[in-house]
Amino acid sequence: PYPGMRAFRRDEAGQFYGRESEVADLLQRLRLHPFVAIIGASGSGKSSLVSAGLLPALQRSTLFGAGGWLVRTFRPGAEPLAAMQTALGGVELELFTPAPLLAIEQAAARVLLIIDQFEELFTQGADQVEAFCAAIQRFVALRDCYLVMTVRADFFGDLLSSALWPLLQAHRLEIAPLSADGLRAAIVKPAEDKGVFIESALVERLVAGSVGQPGLLPFVQEVLVRLWDKLERRYLPLSAYEALVLPLAGYSGKGRSGIQAAMAQLADEMIDRLPEDQQRIARRIFLRLVQFGEGRDNTRRQQPVSALRAAGDDPARFDATLNYLVENRLLVLSGDIEGEPRVDLAHEAMLTGWPRLE
């Protein structure tokens, strides 16, 4: 019942716990104004809050009157204006109106545009910052058009100097790491829904090792995925976690927590199981999915599958390697863009929790 390193999806709302107050806050903010920016540290759960928290809540809410929502999601990438235009149906952004798009879904009365990983504008699409900010301002000025964006807190300085700052200053939600109670809910309640009891000592060990630390939630979720195979008659004991984290020599340096160390070890084991030629392919794939910060923290960089191939790759070996990394939750595939799937790191928290990507 846990998503592991990746973000929660919209259809996993029933497993999403711990952010109920933030979801209610977002609903009220959108009722009063059609724009909100969600700002938080990497790994704090911004994308999950939108997909598994806000979107299902909007479907249930009566705050916005009759009619449903047409939702479009995109990431800025290297061509943010083109990405936004594609998300809005291909119409030139200066000419966009919501009516043709809303006609696609009979019950839809308003458009919700979600910009995930907004910081890509500054790391990959920097030459379009001014035009992209202007396009956002035009969009939210239209009737029945709403926009929610997620952005990492360490890009606050870039936001402050952008043309969007007056809008952001008044309409932003800054989310902190989950509280101890929120973490307990995120750990315990999905298991309870499946009729599984987690030993209290294990819950408290996980909470103590991650509370107040931004970026650790994806690692907690992934560790729980790995522990799920250790169930003993619908009971998950502390001993299963201790057996997982026991062989951690070489992983616990640089302030790395036990949870991060366990995840790093598991990820290394996944890579080391590959033949040497596929390990080389895997290393190249990971490197091409990192946007190196050059003075600031590194960020992940979504890429089409073709950008990860090399001229000398055996196609079958490349495909087998990519599929293996996806199946083992180190990478995720997102929806096709122009007929080609996109590949991404399972979570940005891997950049600081896994030594191979540091």
Side-chain angles (χ1 to χ4, degrees), residues 236-247:
L236 189 56
L238 173 63
S239 59
Y241 175 72
E242 291 176 333
L244 183 70
V245 302
L246 185 62

Side-chain angles (χ1 to χ4, degrees), residues 11-30:
D11 60 356
E12 293 170 327
Q15 301 158 24
F16 183 67
Y17 291 98
R19 291 289 190 189
E20 291 78 9
S21 64
E22 288 88 347
V23 171
D25 194 352
L26 280 171
L27 285 176
Q28 292 299 330
R29 288 171 183 268
L30 279 177

Side-chain angles (χ1 to χ4, degrees), residues 219-253:
F219 293 102
V220 174
Q221 296 278 0
E222 184 61 24
V223 166
L224 285 164
V225 169
R226 308 286 175 163
L227 290 175
W228 199 252
D229 287 337
K230 312 299 181 183
L231 288 178
E232 300 175 2
R233 296 176 180 160
R234 295 192 171 276
Y235 177 70
L236 189 56
L238 173 63
S239 59
Y241 175 72
E242 291 176 333
L244 183 70
V245 302
L246 185 62
L248 294 178
Y251 287 94
S252 56

Side-chain angles (χ1 to χ4, degrees), residues 77-80 119-131 158:
E79 298 290 338
E119 63 273 6
E120 289 183 352
L121 175 66
F122 306 117
T123 60
Q124 300 178 44
D127 58 330
Q128 296 186 12
V129 168
E130 185 176 346
D158 298 277

Side-chain angles (χ1 to χ4, degrees), residues 250-264:
Y251 287 94
S252 56
K254 294 186 178 181
R256 200 170 286 115
S257 72
I259 293 169
Q260 285 176 306
M263 188 57 244

